[in-house]
Amino acid sequence: GRPQHSKMYCHPNDILPLTLTSATQELFGCRCDEDVTGDNPYKILRKEDIVQDMRMRAAVSDFSPMKQLVLDYPEDELLLVYDRDFIYGSSFYLVLTADAKERHLKPVVALGVEVALEREPSEVFATQKTSEPQPWISLGSEQEIEEESVTDSRPRYRISRVRREFGAPIFFSDRNAMETKDGFIECTPYQDKNFSLKQMERHTGVQTIPNLKSSSTQTQWTYPRSMCTQYEPREFSEEKKENCLQSEKLKNFVNSVASRFEMAIQQNEIMDVFFDDWKALSEEDSGYGRKADPHLKEYQSFTDLHFSKEKTISNINWHPTINGVIAVAVTERLSFEDRINGSTKLLLNPSLILFWSFSDPINPQLLLECPDDVFSFEFCPSDPNIIVGGCMNGQVVLWDISTHVEQLQGTRTNKRENETPVVRYCAVSGIENGHKAPITDIQWLPGTFEVSRMGVPMENKNGICVQIVTCAPDCCVMFWDIRAPRVLQTMADQRKQKVEEKPLENPHGVPNTFKHLDLTWKPLIRLQLVLSTTFCPQDGELVYTDWKLEKDNDSGRLFSAKPSHRFIIHDGQVNTVRRSPFFKDIILTVGGWTFAIWKEGVTNGPIIQSSCSQKKCTVGYWSQSRPAVLFIGKEDGNIDVWDLLEKTHEPSQTQNITATQITCIKPWIVSSKQHLLAVSDHLGTLHILEIPWTLRSPSSNEKLSMSKYFEKEVDRLVYFEKRREMRAKEKKDYEAEELRKKTVRYSI
């Protein structure tokens, strides 16, 4: 690179710095360090050529900003000077007056002190006399160097062929190697002494040359230290402002920089100077045909030979506040008949939820004891120490792990070796009040609202999550409230006023957080999605309904509203219904051998539906950072990564994770540079995968592109629906016309 000067002088009024593009340098023969150099920096340009260039290339010409200065130049030839050291801020400057041109081209002579002081700093040349080269005096070293030099003494061979034989076929024949010199090489079974000589002495020649030195200079770097500067704005008075604006110094400054300012404005109009080239470079690397590795990488895995043996993972959840901690629910790999036959064994082997930590991949950090196998559980958003789970027998369970937070954070020092704490549940609902089938999903309602007994949403002023919603294959959706009933709360307050309340008994160390709900917990609202006993929803059916209860005018009883829409799209049981984190009206459903994407409010069907895959789809999840990416787990242990902006008919990539069925997928964002994907399988192993950069970094307009894509798919559905209605009307009119013709023919 070129040396950088710590100080740049303002240029004289008779020159104008300018920057020439490579095309202009090629056109006028002034290429840097080729046509013009530091020793020969001058180039004469014809005024006619410059005017012709401005006329042909208009605003693209580098001389366009100084058009009037070129036209006012009195002579036919202008002087262009190559500013190799960027003294005036550009690689060239143009001489604007004839006197300045003569001064530049005049040979440099010894200048007096007075003349030197009148010139600019860049025109003051050193007057010291440089050392003159001396003639070479030979001392006889040439002969010695020539004797020690290596010369090529091998004979040269030339092979030629008669011209008329060019292109003619070549015929090969056998010959006797003994009849030709060097026809063969003998490989002796012993070592040849001629090629194992030891060098005892060697002649070398040395010639001295003048010492070479290379040096460079940079700004002095002092020892770094913390510093701060405090300042306050100072404003001129109105009188000082007026004097400054009317001063000759300001006017001269404005006149001197006006041309450069106009040039900068014109360059900004041609090119966007605020464009982020680095960001564009990264987006180019993430486009189609990128070289970056797009595959999921194995980060860590968890399994336990005792608690996970012969069990499968039914659900996984990352701890919302403690990084590197993840909880998994393990269930028995048994059919319904096997569970009945082995009920006694199941009682001796309780169901558990295991807490794993990245700091200890061998031993679980915490165990939650469950009354039955848990198919779904969730952390409370307002209090991560509260956990709710749904069991296989239809019961709802609550845990409080507030006393074991230090255990999960790894800050407890009195932990016994290889001892994992077991936490018993605080409360469980009665079997007669819960679902009649396994609870497949459970969710906390947001802390901003709650639901009344009529199913009407209400504002929750406390901002604490107090209600839960569950669903099961018994066609019921239930709402649960973890607060104590008002009647019991009133009686407890009255009892407390009379006598001092005794602490509740706690023989097993179970917190009394939800003691008021244990075995008496009932759902607040029960929604029945099936209104008749003759209809039973099929596998793969999606039901859209309103949870607000309606009142019967005759009996006064509350009943669930009839589902507003029913869709039978999937060819198997639906295992995933999940909203997009970027579009609240976009929903992903997975079931059977297909997945579908729906838009809330569009009743014509799914806006996107995948073709049937060769293996059954077991789970699906949206990417948490890219609106166009989703992950689909398969029964063969593969994960299909779909990038809807790249492909919509097939997955962008398919990667094998395990040899058995994938049961759960749950992504987690650790930081902007690390995104993890938790994947569990049917054998009880939890795989933690690292999401690559190409699957976690969205493009600058990815969300907008996906929004437009969804809108186009909605328009496509509306178009086909209109075509279907039009065809049905044409068919009906045709049949009516045919019936009329037959009636007329029979009457005649």
Side-chain angles (χ1 to χ4, degrees), residues 689-707:
L689 309 174
E690 192 168 10
I691 301 177
W693 184 89
T694 55
L695 295 180
R696 71 172 186 262
S697 300
S699 59
S700 57
N701 56 350
E702 182 169 330
K703 185 175 181 181
L704 179 61
S705 301
M706 285 302 301
S707 178

Side-chain angles (χ1 to χ4, degrees), residues 125-312:
F125 299 94
T127 59
Q128 291 87 354
K129 184 177 180 181
T130 59
S131 58
E132 297 180 357
Q134 299 296 328
W136 171 259
I137 300 176
S138 176
L139 299 178
S141 61
E142 294 89 345
Q143 182 179 359
E144 188 174 339
I145 294 176
E146 184 177 357
E147 292 177 353
E148 298 296 334
S149 300
V150 178
T151 57
D152 188 2
S153 58
R154 293 183 178 180
R156 301 294 181 179
Y157 298 96
R158 181 179 180 183
I159 302 174
S160 61
R161 196 177 187 187
V162 183
R163 183 179 182 85
R164 64 174 176 271
E165 295 181 359
F166 283 177
I170 301 175
F171 299 97
F172 296 96
S173 59
D174 298 334
R175 68 180 177 86
N176 190 355
M178 301 297 296
E179 298 178 356
T180 307
K181 183 180 180 182
D182 297 334
F184 70 98
I185 299 177
E186 182 181 5
C187 296
T188 58
Y190 52 87
Q191 185 178 5
D192 192 347
K193 296 182 179 180
N194 295 327
F195 296 95
S196 60
L197 300 178
K198 183 177 181 181
Q199 183 178 358
M200 302 298 294
E201 186 178 357
R202 181 173 60 182
H203 292 280
T204 57
V206 179
Q207 183 181 10
T208 60
I209 60 173
N211 294 333
L212 298 179
K213 286 186 178 181
S214 61
S215 61
S216 61
T217 180
Q218 285 289 346
T219 305
Q220 183 180 2
W221 178 256
T222 58
Y223 181 77
R225 59 186 180 274
S226 301
M227 299 182 66
C228 63
T229 302
Q230 184 176 5
Y231 65 93
E232 59 180 0
R234 292 184 300 173
E235 296 185 359
F236 289 161
S237 62
E238 296 297 332
E239 182 180 358
K240 288 186 177 181
K241 290 181 182 178
E242 188 66 24
N243 294 336
C244 181
L245 293 175
Q246 300 298 331
S247 64
E248 292 295 329
K249 184 177 181 181
L250 179 62
K251 293 180 181 179
N252 295 335
F253 171 74
V254 173
N255 293 331
S256 64
V257 300
S259 58
R260 284 187 290 171
F261 183 74
E262 293 178 358
M263 187 191 318
I265 293 177
Q266 294 181 5
Q267 291 177 350
N268 292 348
E269 292 178 353
I270 298 174
M271 177 182 178
D272 184 9
V273 296
F274 299 104
F275 183 73
D276 193 347
D277 295 316
W278 290 106
K279 185 176 181 180
L281 183 63
S282 65
E283 291 182 0
E284 180 182 356
D285 184 47
S286 64
Y288 180 76
R290 53 187 176 267
K291 296 181 180 180
D293 188 7
H295 295 88
L296 302 170
K297 297 180 180 179
E298 185 81 19
Y299 184 77
Q300 205 165 13
S301 62
F302 300 96
T303 187
D304 190 88
L305 299 179
H306 176 66
F307 301 113
S308 302
K309 186 178 181 181
E310 298 181 357
K311 292 187 178 183
T312 182

Side-chain angles (χ1 to χ4, degrees), residues 73-75 95-103:
Y73 190 79
E75 297 182 358
V95 181
L96 302 178
T97 62
D99 296 337
K101 173 184 175 183
E102 182 178 1
R103 185 172 68 250

